[in-house]
Amino acid sequence: MSEPIRTRRVGAVLEVIIDRPKANVIDLATSRAMGLIFRDFRDDPALRVAIISGAGEKFFCAGWDLKAAAAGDAVDGDYGVGGFGGLQELRDLNKPVICAVNGICCGGGLEIALSADLILAAEHATFALPEIRSGTVADAASVKLPKRIPYHIAMDMLLTGRWLDVQEANRWGFVNEILPADKLMDRAWDLARLLESGPPLVYAAIKEIVRESEGSTFQTAMNKITKRQFATVDRLYSSEDQLEGARAFAEKRSPIWKGR
């Protein structure tokens, strides 16, 4: 049997592929494996960007493995260090993550996509939160989705479980780009290489500021930035990269980012 999660490193980019035919569903063991993969990605200074996608042409991820649940996997069991799918509760993940949705993206699969920073989708991709129909709650989506798209659209998805095609998902703003299926991963890699060439300390500061300021007032968040109370901001403002950016601009050349 092949590994349920396949990874590939190219330069500073990590590609993560969910490969559990036929629907790329996730059980507890797979979730724990994904948590270790993304923890190691977070902690590896040689890696700067991750791409997550699904194997095959039909499913990105259909979420929680109901067959495993019926066999004894508890819905509130040990999902691992990063929570379900390794991403949605992983602390201090201050590197960009691109999700390439190559087909059906529902339930926990949609929650994984919402945990990424950028979402690319194939033209045939579809999205739903069908948990309501199986008598359970889409927990992470209930927290995240109303903050990402209009409240009434999010509640429609949560309360009815209805499906959105990729055009509607794009219209409501939780898909960045729609691509032909055969161009999806090419575009994901192009975007990853663009981010790979950028300033990792700035990316880290952006992600921490956005994440930690979500429940703050504007002025509270700004005070924490200017007083260097975010660890990533403090590191950035004391870094070689901060000086390199200014020098490169003054010298009219491309900066060389070292991540320190």
Side-chain angles (χ1 to χ4, degrees):
M1 183 179 293
S2 63
E3 291 295 321
I5 305 298
R6 295 189 279 109
T7 62
R8 178 168 66 114
R9 295 175 64 141
V10 180
V13 180
L14 176 69
E15 181 186 74
V16 180
I17 304 295
I18 306 168
D19 190 4
R20 294 194 76 222
K22 62 178 182 178
N24 292 332
V25 290
I26 295 173
D27 61 4
L28 289 177
T30 302
S31 181
R32 290 193 289 266
M34 293 175 73
L36 296 177
I37 288 167
F38 283 108
R39 181 203 63 187
D40 291 347
F41 162 71
R42 179 196 66 189
D43 296 342
D44 187 340
L47 289 171
R48 296 187 177 185
V49 187
I51 301 169
I52 182 167
S53 191
E57 300 176 353
K58 187 174 181 181
F59 289 92
F60 164 65
C61 175
W64 177 234
D65 186 343
L66 292 177
K67 289 184 179 179
D73 268 12
V75 70
D76 58 350
D78 178 11
Y79 290 108
V81 66
F84 182 83
L87 272 177
Q88 62 188 23
E89 296 179 66
L90 186 62
R91 295 179 61 84
D92 301 323
L93 179 54
N94 292 328
K95 298 176 181 180
V97 178
I98 301 164
C99 182
V101 178
N102 56 306
I104 293 170
C105 177
C106 64
L110 179 50
E111 292 176 330
I112 291 170
L114 290 171
S115 299
D117 302 297
L118 299 165
I119 302 176
L120 310 178
E123 291 171 328
H124 67 289
T126 54
F127 304 84
L129 293 166
E131 283 88 343
I132 190 75
R133 297 173 185 172
S134 57
T136 190
V137 62
D139 47 14
S142 297
V143 175
K144 292 182 178 181
L145 195 60
K147 298 176 181 178
R148 307 291 181 83
I149 65 175
Y151 172 85
H152 296 98
I153 306 303
M155 293 304 290
D156 182 11
M157 294 181 68
L158 288 161
L159 294 173
T160 71
R162 80 173 180 91
W163 288 84
L164 274 62
D165 63 23
V166 73
Q167 297 293 338
E168 184 174 3
N170 180 248
R171 184 162 75 248
W172 297 127
F174 69 86
V175 168
N176 294 88
E177 296 181 43
I178 303 170
L179 298 141
D182 61 348
K183 302 295 184 184
L184 177 65
M185 292 307 291
D186 289 342
R187 175 58 181 145
W189 273 94
D190 286 345
L191 187 54
R193 291 186 183 101
L194 173 65
L195 296 174
E196 178 187 26
S197 69
L201 297 185
V202 179
Y203 293 155
I206 290 169
K207 288 203 64 173
E208 185 178 28
I209 291 168
V210 169
R211 182 178 63 248
E212 299 300 327
S213 300
E214 191 171 36
S216 301
T217 65
F218 172 78
Q219 198 57 58
T220 297
M222 286 301 298
N223 289 343
K224 290 187 71 174
I225 294 169
T226 56
K227 294 177 181 178
R228 296 168 66 155
Q229 292 175 349
F230 290 113
T232 55
V233 173
D234 185 52
R235 184 182 179 200
L236 171 66
Y237 286 174
S238 303
S239 69
E240 293 179 32
D241 278 2
Q242 180 81 11
L243 294 174
E244 168 64 9
R247 288 180 185 136
F249 179 82
E251 296 168 8
K252 298 181 180 179
R253 61 174 175 82
S254 297
I256 300 171
W257 306 117
K258 297 180 180 178
R260 61 176 189 266

